[in-house]
């Protein structure tokens, strides 16, 4: 059909009805259930032509001729406007499909269309606006402070960028702020850049959202004119993948119209002169180390969001166990709104008793995003994929390398990993800062030093990326060496710090210790390094009273005879003494404990370390006394003292130990003498 033919058809037909929509071409209006729908000018023209030729394939040439007469326009302008039009229709009627793409030919309006009389123009209201309206968003929980702060920042010169990880709720926050800020007086124009794959098409996308003709020599000049003359708030959503172009455009607009109201969302700042940054973290959730009642826990927005999304007949009244599991889930997901919604979607089909095991197989089950949500929000993996694909090689490599750490890690820890990925220190440091800027790592000052942390879901994803990379084995080895070196430093500090101080510094290392030892004793690992790790970790296990875990690790090390034989004598003495103590405290009267103490004394003697020799003899004496053989204990101590020329009364804690054992032996008078000396 020619352009003239289409125009004649439109003039004959006054209105079109499809689904709950009514299209009024002459009035430039689209109604949904009687309410006006805001479309961009180009989007309205595209819809009018497609509806007029419903059931036919409308070629791109016909669409260009109808929508952009007398202009030469790039194909991507059509794709952007059709994408915006589809999204506007889907937000109001997500169950129906209206526009189909016919590959290589054009587009077809596939819904049934009925002819109807036009509605009166006075019912149209503000339908003549050519701005692309923002999507409908869910009610926000726990973001009141952010809304107030950003609303205040909008009134300041420049623009506001909401920065946060994927799925934090940046778009929902931006739209909510805009709606509350504008009220009924100002219009909102929404630009979704997630569908723009090429930076060259950022300008057309922004111009189209404001109804600016793309035939102009400088469409952004037209945008500037609109923002200067209208009470309009502009939202530019999802800038991270075209950030350089977006930054250039937004900075130009802000420089020429300081009073323009612009909200930007991105996973990293635009870093321009007029930018005000609002960092958006996850929703607040309870601290699992603090006991809270069910009522108090349900006051946290992360918990509220989970329960609201998972509400079903099976969970009419959440129990304490259910809420405890929800708190654990929210903590593991770092309060990330999208991740919580996905988890809740999965949990809604599970029995309450199954909630605790939601992540037993990782995060793969979390793929129940809303059907009308963008593909990058359909699953947690898709959200992380979106961020990962945007990373330069060195940042992607470093993200994988850092996934070896189970919890917090320092800048020095990261520095130790650079060489595993063939990263120069300067490049590694820059990549580290960029991962923080892009919300894939969080950074926190603690005691004058900077610590970093990767969310568990991000760490799981990054570890998968590392698994198939050529850097995996180097990374695992570097990690194990780093943990061993840190533990050796910790051992040197052990005797000079209080237990509380020492544990405060090193308690968090236990998960990394487990991971490093697990790799070292794997067939592809390094058993000799594993033995060194076990020896270095002994003080940590002892301070944590994790004797059974320590004993299991010692048994694993002892099973590797070749690696064990290469251990230095002092290391062997530490290992055997710790094993004897662990058997004493964890296995009590195990028949092999006596053998373990004899082996401890043997290796302590071989180490020629006087301190360890005394420690072994004293440990054996405690075991003998506790197992009902206090006189054997005294005999062993006296024989050792005679052989070494040692006065137990002068040895560290010697008097206390002698008094203790003599009480068990019934030598109360002698024990009383030692105790009296200690009191003085």
């Amino acid at each position: 059909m020619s352009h003239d033919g289409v125009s004649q058809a439109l003039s004959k037909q006054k209105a079109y009805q499809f689904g709950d929509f009514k299209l009024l071409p002459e009035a430039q209006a689209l109604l949904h259930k009687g309410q006006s729908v805001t479309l961009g000018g180009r989007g309205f023209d595209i819809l009018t032509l497609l509806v007029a030729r419903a059931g036919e394939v409308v070629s791109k040439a016909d669409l260009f001729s109808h929508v952009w007469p007398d202009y030469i326009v790039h194909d991507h302008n059509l794709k952007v406007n059709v994408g915006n039009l589809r999204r506007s229709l889907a937000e109001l009627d997500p169950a129906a499909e209206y526009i189909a793409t016919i590959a290589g030919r054009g587009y077809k309006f596939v819904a049934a269309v009925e002819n109807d009389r036009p509605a009166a123009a006075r019912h149209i209201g503000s339908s003549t606006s050519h701005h692309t309206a923002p999507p409908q968003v869910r009610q926000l929980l726990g973001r009141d402070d952010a809304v107030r702060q950003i609303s205040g920042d909008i009134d300041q010169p420049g623009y506001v960028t909401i920065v946060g990880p994927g799925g934090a709720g940046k778009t929902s926050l931006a739209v909510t702020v805009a709606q509350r800020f504008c009220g009924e007086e100002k219009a909102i124009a929404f630009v979704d850049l997630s569908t723009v794959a090429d930076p060259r098409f950022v300008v057309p996308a922004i111009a189209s959202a404001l109804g600016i003709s793309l035939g102009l020599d400088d469409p952004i000049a037209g945008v500037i004119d609109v923002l200067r003359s209208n009470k309009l708030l502009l939202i530019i959503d999802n800038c991270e993948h075209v950030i350089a172009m977006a930054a250039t455009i937004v900075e130009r607009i802000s420089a020429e119209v300081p009073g323009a109201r612009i909200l930007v969302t991105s996973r990293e700042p635009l870093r321009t002169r007029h930018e005000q940054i609002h960092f958006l973290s996850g929703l607040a959730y309870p601290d699992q180390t603090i006991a809270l009642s069910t009522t108090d826990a349900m006051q946290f927005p992360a918990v509220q969001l989970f329960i609201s999304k998972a509400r079903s007949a099976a969970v009419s009244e959440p129990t304490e166990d259910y809420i405890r599991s929800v708190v654990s889930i929210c903590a593991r997901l770092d309060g990330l709104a999208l991740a919580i919604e996905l988890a809740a979607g999965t949990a809604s089909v599970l029995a309450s008793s199954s909630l605790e095991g939601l992540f037993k197989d990782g995060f793969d089950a979390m793929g129940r995003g809303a059907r009308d949500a963008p593909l990058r929000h359909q699953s947690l993996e898709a959200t992380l994929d979106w961020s990962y694909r945007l990373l330069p090689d060195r940042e992607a490599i470093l993200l994988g390398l850092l996934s070896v750490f189970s919890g917090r890690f320092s800048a020095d820890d990261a520095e130790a990993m650079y060489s595993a990925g063939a990263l120069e220190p300067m490049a590694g440091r820059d990549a580290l800062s960029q991962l923080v800027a892009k919300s894939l790592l969080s950074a926190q000052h603690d005691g004058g030093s900077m610590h970093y942390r990767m969310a568990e879901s991000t760490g799981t994803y990054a570890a998968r990326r590392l698994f198939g990379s050529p850097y995996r084995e180097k990374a695992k080895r570097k990690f194990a060496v780093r943990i061993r070196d840190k533990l050796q430093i910790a051992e040197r500090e052990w005797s000079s710090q209080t237990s509380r101080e020492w544990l405060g510094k090193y308690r968090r290392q236990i998960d990394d210790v487990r991971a490093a030892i697990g790799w070292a004793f794997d067939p592809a690992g390094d058993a000799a390094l594993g033995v060194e790790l076990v020896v270095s970790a002994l003080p940590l296990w002892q301070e944590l009273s994790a004797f059974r875990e320590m004993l299991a690790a010692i048994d694993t090390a002892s099973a590797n005879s070749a690696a064990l034989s290469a251990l230095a004598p002092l290391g062997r003495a530490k290992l055997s003494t710790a094993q004897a103590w662990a058997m004493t405290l964890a296995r009590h009267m195990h028949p092999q404990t006596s053998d373990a103490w004899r082996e401890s004394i043997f290796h302590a003697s071989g180490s020629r370390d006087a301190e360890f020799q005394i420690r072994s003899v004293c440990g054996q004496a405690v075991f003998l006394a506790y197992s009902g053989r206090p006189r054997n204990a005294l005999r062993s101590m006296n024989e050792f003292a005679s052989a070494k020329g040692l006065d137990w009364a002068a040895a560290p804690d010697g008097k206390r130990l002698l008094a203790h054992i003599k009480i068990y032996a019934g030598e109360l008078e002698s024990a009383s003498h030692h105790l009296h000396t200690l009191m003085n």
Side-chain angles (χ1 to χ4, degrees):
M1 183 181 290
S2 68
H3 177 61
D4 291 340
V6 172
S7 298
Q8 292 174 6
L10 294 180
S11 64
K12 292 178 182 178
Q13 182 59 53
K14 301 298 184 181
Y16 301 90
Q17 184 83 36
F18 49 92
D20 291 325
F21 291 96
K22 181 174 286 188
L23 177 66
L24 310 170
E26 291 182 355
Q28 287 284 295
L30 177 66
L31 306 180
H32 180 259
K33 296 182 179 180
Q35 299 297 314
S36 172
V37 179
T38 302
L39 292 178
R42 307 300 180 188
F44 186 88
D45 291 342
I46 292 170
L47 178 64
T48 303
L49 180 58
L50 292 175
V51 170
R53 294 174 57 180
E56 300 179 30
V57 177
V58 181
S59 69
K60 294 181 181 179
D62 284 353
L63 284 164
F64 280 124
S65 177
H66 178 69
V67 180
W68 291 280
D70 303 321
Y71 290 103
I72 298 176
V73 183
H74 195 281
D75 280 4
H76 191 76
N77 296 322
L78 180 60
K79 292 181 180 179
V80 168
N81 280 278
V82 171
N84 288 336
L85 177 58
R86 279 175 167 151
R87 180 173 56 78
S88 297
L89 297 175
E91 286 171 359
L92 296 169
D93 188 2
E97 181 179 2
Y98 291 101
I99 301 172
T101 299
I102 309 301
R105 299 175 62 192
Y107 299 92
K108 179 193 289 188
F109 195 84
V110 295
V113 177
E114 299 177 3
N115 300 339
D116 199 353
R117 300 297 300 171
R122 63 177 177 273
H123 296 305
I124 297 170
S126 60
S127 63
T128 56
S129 169
H130 288 177
H131 308 138
T132 300
Q136 295 180 342
V137 298
R138 57 178 169 76
Q139 180 183 1
L140 292 183
L141 296 170
R143 298 299 192 193
D144 291 344
D145 289 343
V147 170
R148 282 192 295 270
Q149 181 180 337
I150 297 172
S151 297
D153 291 341
I154 291 176
D155 269 333
Q156 305 301 315
Y159 64 97
V160 179
T161 303
I162 302 173
V163 176
K170 300 183 293 294
T171 301
S172 296
L173 178 59
V175 172
T176 300
V177 169
Q179 291 172 340
R180 294 189 188 179
F181 181 83
C182 293
E184 300 294 332
E185 299 179 0
K186 302 176 184 176
I188 302 170
F190 184 84
V191 184
D192 181 6
L193 295 183
S194 67
T195 60
V196 177
D198 191 321
R200 293 176 298 170
F201 303 130
V202 173
V203 169
I206 295 175
S208 296
L210 286 111
I212 305 299
S213 172
L214 298 178
L216 298 174
D217 291 337
D218 185 4
I220 293 303
V223 171
I224 290 172
D225 288 341
V226 169
L227 293 176
R228 183 181 286 122
S229 59
N230 288 285
K231 293 181 178 180
L232 177 73
L233 190 149
L234 175 62
I235 300 175
I236 305 178
D237 196 36
N238 295 296
C239 293
E240 55 272 358
H241 60 301
V242 287
I243 198 160
M245 179 61 74
T248 300
I249 295 170
V250 177
E251 180 64 15
R252 176 186 169 188
I253 296 172
S254 295
E256 295 194 31
V257 190
R261 308 303 199 249
I262 304 175
L263 274 175
V264 174
T265 74
S266 176
R267 298 189 186 187
E268 63 176 302
L270 272 58
R271 298 195 297 274
T272 72
R273 185 164 57 93
H274 291 90
E275 183 179 35
Q276 303 175 75
I277 303 173
H278 181 91
F279 288 101
L280 185 65
S281 57
L283 294 169
Y285 55 85
D287 184 343
Q288 290 182 274
T289 63
I290 300 175
L292 289 178
S293 67
T294 298
T295 301
D296 289 339
M298 291 178 67
Q299 302 307 307
F300 286 82
V303 177
Q304 293 174 355
L305 177 61
F306 186 100
I307 292 176
S308 69
K309 293 296 179 181
R311 184 174 293 137
S312 64
V315 191
S316 55
E317 289 294 333
T319 64
E320 286 189 16
D321 288 342
Y322 185 86
I323 293 298
R324 193 179 301 112
S325 297
V326 170
V327 169
S328 175
I329 290 170
C330 292
R332 292 186 65 178
L333 297 175
D334 272 35
L336 193 66
L338 173 65
I340 291 172
E341 290 189 9
L342 293 172
T346 302
S348 65
V349 298
L350 299 176
S352 300
S353 57
S354 302
L355 197 59
E356 190 66 36
L358 183 62
F359 299 136
K360 67 179 184 299
D361 297 319
F363 298 93
D364 291 344
M366 292 170 53
R368 296 181 180 273
R371 296 185 189 280
D372 59 342
L375 288 177
R376 66 185 186 281
H377 287 171
Q378 291 287 340
S379 70
L380 191 56
E381 183 174 12
T383 299
L384 292 167
D385 266 337
W386 173 270
S387 292
Y388 187 83
R389 287 197 302 268
L390 300 177
L391 296 178
D393 285 347
R394 65 186 182 186
E395 293 172 25
I397 289 170
L398 183 59
L399 186 70
L401 297 179
L402 296 179
S403 70
V404 297
F405 292 102
S406 302
R408 297 195 323 165
F409 56 91
S410 67
D412 289 340
D413 292 331
E415 193 100 5
M417 300 302 299
Y418 296 156
S419 62
L423 297 174
E424 294 295 328
M426 188 65 71
R429 292 171 197 140
D430 179 68
L432 181 65
S433 66
Q434 288 302 306
L435 290 176
V436 174
K438 294 174 182 179
S439 307
L440 289 168
L441 290 178
S442 60
Q444 183 179 13
H445 283 283
D446 184 11
S449 60
M450 182 71 79
H451 282 89
Y452 303 89
R453 192 175 69 84
M454 194 181 298
E456 184 180 353
S457 53
T458 305
T460 300
Y461 175 89
R464 288 183 179 179
R465 291 289 181 174
L466 178 65
F467 185 82
S469 81
Y471 310 109
R472 179 176 182 267
E473 287 308 312
K474 289 183 179 179
K476 294 289 188 180
R477 179 175 295 278
K478 286 285 185 183
F479 169 66
V481 169
R482 175 62 181 168
I483 298 304
R484 180 203 61 191
D485 293 347
K486 290 178 71 174
L487 290 172
Q488 289 176 349
I489 294 172
E491 184 181 17
R492 291 195 291 271
E493 296 177 354
W494 191 25
S495 60
S496 62
Q497 297 179 359
T498 66
S499 178
R500 184 173 183 177
E501 290 172 337
W502 193 87
L503 273 178
K505 188 175 181 180
Y506 292 106
R507 179 192 297 273
R508 294 187 181 94
Q509 294 295 317
I510 188 62
D511 288 332
D512 285 338
V513 169
R514 291 164 179 159
I517 290 176
W519 168 82
F521 288 115
D522 186 82
D526 183 339
L529 181 54
V531 171
E532 293 177 5
L533 276 163
V534 172
V535 173
S536 302
L538 295 174
L540 182 58
W541 279 314
Q542 292 178 51
E543 285 295 334
L544 293 173
S545 298
F547 296 111
R548 293 187 183 278
E549 180 179 343
M550 180 173 72
L551 191 57
I554 293 172
D555 289 344
T556 301
S558 300
N560 288 268
S561 56
L564 196 64
S565 63
L567 191 62
L570 181 58
R572 191 64 183 271
K574 292 177 181 178
L575 196 66
S576 60
T577 301
Q579 183 181 34
W581 270 118
M583 294 179 72
T584 299
L585 297 171
R587 294 181 176 174
H588 302 294
M589 299 301 296
H590 194 284
Q592 294 179 347
T593 307
S594 293
D595 295 336
W597 278 115
R598 281 192 291 271
E599 187 175 350
S600 169
I601 292 173
F602 172 78
H603 288 297
S605 178
S607 73
R608 300 185 183 279
D609 186 294
E611 178 186 349
F612 257 90
Q613 292 179 39
I614 293 174
R615 188 182 301 180
S616 296
V617 171
C618 290
Q620 183 193 49
V622 170
F623 165 70
L624 291 172
Y626 282 1
S627 59
R629 291 169 285 177
R631 296 194 180 280
N632 289 352
L634 288 174
R635 184 167 56 254
S636 174
M637 291 179 68
N638 290 332
E639 289 174 355
F640 178 80
S642 176
K644 299 294 182 180
L646 173 69
D647 180 5
W648 279 113
D653 292 327
K655 291 181 181 179
R656 181 178 292 106
L657 180 60
L658 281 173
H660 188 73
I661 293 177
K662 287 185 176 182
I663 290 174
Y664 275 84
E667 299 181 12
L668 301 182
E669 184 176 348
S670 179
S672 178
H673 172 73
H674 287 300
L675 292 173
H676 181 74
T677 305
L678 285 171
M679 293 174 63
N680 295 328

